[in-house]
């Protein structure tokens, strides 16, 4: 019963096997092997167009490279107040950009509205240099609160960004979980609705450490090879990332893995909403479930071996949290089993 | 017959197995799992003292974090003109430090002398801010030319560095190859002779991507956790690095792997020096062999399937290189077989 | 009737004369002339203790050097949401620190409370690297809204900062105006109540471009000479700054200049509060007056030749602003004349 | 008899007067006053074309902004080994660019050849990211050794830079001295012979602190306003720089000032070459004279009140320097008088 985070999980067996399979013999380093090249081509297919794709080992590297590729002096990136890039990357985007700023926008459950975005952007006037200048907009899909932007919401945000001549970046650390939630194509979730750059995450969904920065306009990525190397994120034995991603994409394994995580989350959510011992904080749209629970119930669950974290309440949401009623976060993953869910729900009731 | 580089090689089977073994089940992320903690303890044993060790995925990251941990405004790091940090990291140390400078020192075959170091350092006067200020000294062991610093040479360089109140960093991308060459202990090669910070490389010696920054004075490493995270180099599933390193260190596998590489290099060197078709450029002290060869012989070898690179002549060394006689570099690795060497030498003769 | 900003004003005649006086003959450059050295000594006297003082040409440089002298990886500086460093320096502190973050704190009229500061700081836990780490606290005196921190308020904020092991920085772009408001000594306004670093501004108070970074613990300033030079802020003919500051401090000219600005502001404030045509938005404690005025009155004043700016309403303050009633800012300066004030007030009524 | 450096000198009386004249009354800040705007227009006239010009207070700021405006990840700027940007700016260009590298090129007396430049540039191959990538070429005119590039030499260097798709920057800290030496126009010295960006210095030639970055292709300067502000180099009372530059340019004062410096240097050079007590090290082409002198003569001169510095010998030049014969540098300036020169020469003989 481990619902701590999807990064507590291991690696899908197919991915472990692929690594072993590719571990012997010689291959060209630094992204130039056949396996590497084949993977790049595969991303074109995956996204139904030519893309420029760069592989790295962490989501923080992917996000930071994506944002710093659009760097401007005095630059400001608009993102949600609860975004991973804003809260959980120890200032990596700021470091990579040499001091650009992330400007947090409020919004319900990890999502901000086109109107809120437009309001924040309109405070910057091209000739008033003192404020700095916007250089990008970043959204997270699925969000840190387990919610997802609808396709038309993405499009509307992209329209605002583009009207201000800014690129739209999507942090897709849980991209697969969002895809599975809507059952749409990667292209639809991204460039067909205006996304310009995607951090495509594999790590949280059954890889060891496999992330990609995908540019839908390859022209805008010209400096990325230098930026990645300069940041120490170009592996020499790159086939190690490629081997993970090939297995990840083979036979739509990645969607299958995400589907398991989402289904398990859905069952957790349903079980909780039907239980007498806890309350679903809000609906689950990916693989994160948030619930309000009596404090003694939380302790009881933990003693019984359930692993999960208490969580801060989202801004401006009244969940009636107190010393006696607390918010918890449950994250399912590619390997979560039905038994884990059933056992957990038994304890909740 | 692949002597292109040690990063063309794959992964030692024991390391591949370890990865598979640790790929299932839950483990705490971000360096906090039992496996991670056990590895940290193991580095204390390995170096016979308490060290602060930080794991990353690339040598460039290790070097850049090591150097930037000692950062100063207007800082200058002394290194060899042929150092990897100077030539092959696309400005990563400069980027990590926000603009410190690497000052190249000349010296025979990748090594500079204490006298040369002292001369360069003495050009900086504490009150003359215009020149900037030294902030560290970096040496490579084994060097980019396959040579090694003797222990007393390291000690003498450390003495100069310390006399100027500067830390001595060792880029140990091929640390194991140097150790095996001298048959000394990791402690002797480092802190017992004055090294303050070590980039401990595993990747070139049979790992996928396993590098460590080792501080012999843990006090000086206090900011490293933030620096590593801020650079996007803290993996979430850190057990993946730990699993590699545990297997690497088990039963002295790492020394066995390096020994194979060195022995094969030695045989290549001997074969070449005895051959009529080529000339050993200088003696081999690790796993890199440099040879001078007629150009048509080079082409002939390549046509026969031998993989290696032509190389620039080291500064101020007259090897009689011309259009007809060129310098080549041959790198052996943990997996190089006797057959590869024999076949190659047959072709040379 | 120019109330646009104190940087629309020129230079006090005594300061212009001092510049002329020191414009001829030879003097040692880069802060080493007798005039420079005498000025440094004078700052010790001014602050009644040994200080380390560094002269620069802009307030943005002073603030950015002050903050970056305390830099940490993943560092976060707490400041007010309306602070100049947060809003009006185009990301200079972030640039100088290579990516530290400014974290805005809310609070009434430019001031935040010790409680609010403590709350923000307590969200950072030393071992949770993902959030980054606090590295300093910055307050503005007088604030951007013309208000001032009381001495005991400064002390209480310093106590919180120090309890978290953080330095307290004061942006004193209008330091003289604050001093004059309270009629206390520079020492009382700063280190005697816990301020560690001061940006001491002269430009807004009758200099051309004269600012100083003052460290009350000289030990903490050791790298400043390198940082200033590296940022291009060490003038060669430094006597030019020194000549300004000497005249500025002679016979307490600086306090006299600030007193004129404050008295004129006070008269503006009083006149407005007694007028029928406008309303004082809040009390004036330095040289900035904020008033609420009918829109047509604003236009009328501007047509009559009064220069001032409309201003955004401070957060969470309800001033009943609408299309018909707007907020304006009036800034007096060292040279503002009684006539300007009287003429303006006549127009208001 | 002060030949220490041109920054030991004061300010031309006309410039001091201009400052006083513009010190009273209100003016728009941040480069928007009439005086500022008129100065911008004046630079168009001066250079016989539309330029984008940005005023700052130090040469280091001018050079660093110029170079960082052309920044690339892993970027490398080619410059002479003795360039001011390489030796005397405490790493400012590296800091401004967040870690670009300056690559020193050897060459006689501060000048490098097109061939040497081409050789260095050709070592970078577009696809070999490990080495980084060239981003600009910088020359100094007049050089640090008092020599000057001929117009056709500038053109030839520009041709090489442009063939590699790189901009040519000229550090013109002593631009006026070079102009006067050749008696050519500012346009001829710069864009008409391929210079893309100029650091136009006034400080060394009789201003307090007046420098300008001039872009001959205004398109390439679009981010400069943000870069300057972000670096803290946008003064609020910008008329202070404008007042200096207006007087500097009025009636060709700047050329007159430089002419005095050059003529005095020429007389020093001639006197030395004819003297028995010293030897001219090489010919003088601006306002710096280098001489070889017996050590006891040097001491004798200093005792007699002459101020100047001993200097390191240029690379690869054999001047027969020993303990008994040393190299000195003599710098004349706008205010150097004939008497100073005559008195000095008397002492030499």
């Amino acid at each position: 019963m481990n619902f701590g985070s999807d990064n507590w999980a291991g690696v899908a067996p197919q991915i472990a096997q692929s690594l072993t399979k590719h571990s012997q013999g010689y291959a060209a380093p630094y992204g130039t092997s056949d396996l590497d090249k084949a993977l790049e081509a595969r991303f074109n297919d995956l996204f139904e167009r030519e893309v420029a794709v760069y592989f790295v080992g962490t989501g923080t590297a992917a996000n930071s490279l994506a944002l710093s590729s659009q760097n401007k002096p005095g630059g400001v990136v608009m993102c949600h107040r609860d975004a991973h890039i804003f809260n959980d990357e120890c200032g990596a985007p700021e470091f990579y950009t040499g001091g650009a700023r992330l400007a947090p926008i409020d919004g319900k459950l990890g999502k901000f509205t086109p109107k809120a975005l437009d309001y924040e952007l309109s405070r910057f006037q091209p000739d008033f240099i003192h404020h700095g200048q916007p250089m990008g907009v970043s959204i997270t899909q699925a969000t840190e609160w387990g919610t997802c932007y609808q396709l038309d919401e993405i499009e509307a945000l992209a329209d605002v960004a583009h009207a201000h001549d800014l690129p739209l970046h999507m942090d897709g650390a849980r991209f697969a979980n969002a895809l599975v939630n809507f059952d749409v194509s990667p292209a639809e979730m991204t460039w067909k609705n205006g996304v310009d750059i995607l951090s495509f995450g594999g790590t949280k969904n059954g890889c060891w450490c496999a992330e990609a920065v995908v540019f839908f306009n390859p022209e805008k990525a010209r400096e990325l090879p230098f930026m990645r190397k300069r940041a120490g994120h170009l592996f020499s034995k790159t086939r190690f990332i490629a081997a993970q991603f090939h297995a990840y994409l083979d036979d739509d394994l990645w969607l299958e893995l995400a589907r398991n995580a989402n289904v398990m989350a859905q069952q957790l959510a349903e079980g909780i909403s039907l239980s007498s011992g806890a309350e679903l904080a809000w609906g689950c749209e990916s693989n994160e479930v948030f619930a309000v629970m009596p404090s003694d119930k939380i302790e009881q669950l933990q003693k019984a071996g359930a692993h999960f974290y208490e969580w801060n309440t989202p801004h401006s949401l009244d969940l009636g949290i107190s010393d006696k009623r607390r918010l918890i976060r449950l994250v399912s993953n590619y390997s979560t089993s039905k038994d884990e869910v059933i056992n957990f729900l038994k304890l909740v009731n």
Side-chain angles (χ1 to χ4, degrees), chain A:
Chain A
M1 291 186 299
N2 191 310
F3 304 108
S5 178
D6 24 21
N7 58 30
W8 281 69
V11 178
Q14 298 93 326
I15 291 169
Q17 284 155 25
S18 178
L19 263 186
T20 300
K21 179 179 154 197
H22 291 288
S23 68
Q24 302 306 307
Y26 292 106
Y30 298 121
T32 60
S33 76
D34 294 345
L35 202 71
D36 296 316
K37 291 296 169 195
L39 182 60
E40 288 185 16
R42 206 160 173 177
F43 267 76
N44 291 341
D45 295 342
L46 188 64
F47 284 98
E48 304 169 36
R49 66 173 291 166
E50 203 199 335
V51 301
V53 58
Y54 298 92
F55 304 106
V56 291
T58 68
T60 295
N63 288 332
S64 298
L65 288 171
L67 297 176
S68 61
S69 73
Q70 308 301 308
N71 202 15
K72 290 184 183 172
V76 179
V77 173
M78 303 291 155
C79 65
H80 193 277
R81 168 179 302 284
D82 298 325
H84 196 269
I85 56 170
F86 189 69
N87 289 304
D88 290 303
E89 302 191 345
C90 195
E94 290 95 332
F95 172 62
Y96 271 70
T97 54
R101 181 183 290 182
L102 305 186
I105 301 181
D106 283 326
K108 207 178 155 189
L109 294 176
K111 296 163 61 178
F112 55 82
T113 63
K115 194 178 157 187
L117 175 60
D118 196 49
Y119 175 77
E120 291 297 328
L121 288 174
S122 63
R123 293 166 62 176
F124 292 88
Q125 284 150 30
D127 290 338
F128 195 73
I129 55 170
H130 308 271
H131 286 179
Q133 56 183 335
M135 66 184 229
V137 177
S138 180
I139 59 175
T140 316
Q141 179 82 324
T143 76
E144 292 74 11
W145 298 108
T147 56
C148 286
Y149 284 99
Q150 301 286 331
L151 293 195
D152 60 349
E153 290 174 330
I154 295 171
E155 190 186 24
L157 287 168
D159 286 348
V160 175
H162 297 161
H164 289 268
D165 208 20
L166 298 173
L168 180 63
H169 166 253
M170 177 181 279
D171 176 357
R174 295 190 179 96
F175 185 69
N177 303 97
L179 270 193
V180 160
N181 179 61
F182 289 120
D183 200 19
V184 299
S185 73
E188 285 169 309
M189 187 73 96
T190 56
W191 65 272
K192 286 192 175 171
N193 282 293
V195 173
D196 299 289
I197 312 172
L198 170 69
S199 297
F200 178 91
T203 309
K204 284 183 155 63
N205 190 33
C207 293
W208 274 123
C209 58
E211 307 280 323
V213 194
V214 184
F215 289 79
F216 299 108
N217 179 352
E219 265 305 292
K220 296 230 169 179
R222 274 181 311 181
E223 298 293 351
L224 234 281
F226 291 95
M227 297 176 71
R228 180 177 56 175
K229 174 66 190 171
R230 180 180 68 158
H233 281 289
L234 178 60
F235 294 102
S236 54
K237 298 180 178 174
T238 31
R239 58 172 138 162
F240 139 71
I241 300 269
Q244 293 179 69
F245 264 137
H246 275 295
Y248 187 67
L249 297 175
D250 279 350
D251 302 323
D252 284 344
L253 173 63
W254 66 307
L255 299 177
E256 187 188 309
L257 297 173
R259 205 167 286 124
N260 180 74
N262 283 20
V263 168
M264 291 300 111
Q266 210 53 52
Q267 296 190 358
L268 273 171
E270 282 169 23
I272 286 167
S273 69
L274 295 172
S275 79
S276 54
E279 226 170 281
L280 193 62
W282 56 82
C284 162
E285 297 171 354
S286 55
N287 66 323
E288 295 189 292
V289 175
F290 291 82
V292 180
M293 240 182 228
S295 304
D296 48 6
K297 173 65 79 179
I298 291 174
E299 279 170 42
Q300 188 188 319
L301 282 163
Q302 287 170 333
K303 271 186 197 150
H307 181 60
F308 55 85
Y309 293 108
E310 295 190 37
W311 219 250
N312 287 326
T313 316
H315 278 263
S316 68
L317 201 68
D318 187 2
L319 297 167
I321 298 304
S322 71
D323 279 2
K324 303 212 162 161
R325 266 170 64 90
R326 304 209 293 255
L327 182 68
I328 65 164
R329 186 187 78 159
L330 305 167
V331 188
S332 58
N333 67 76
Y334 81 93
S335 72
T336 303
S337 69
K338 224 164 185 170
D339 280 357
E340 284 184 288
V341 172
I342 290 171
N343 290 338
F344 182 84
L345 289 174
K346 270 188 196 154
L347 288 166
V348 170
N349 274 304

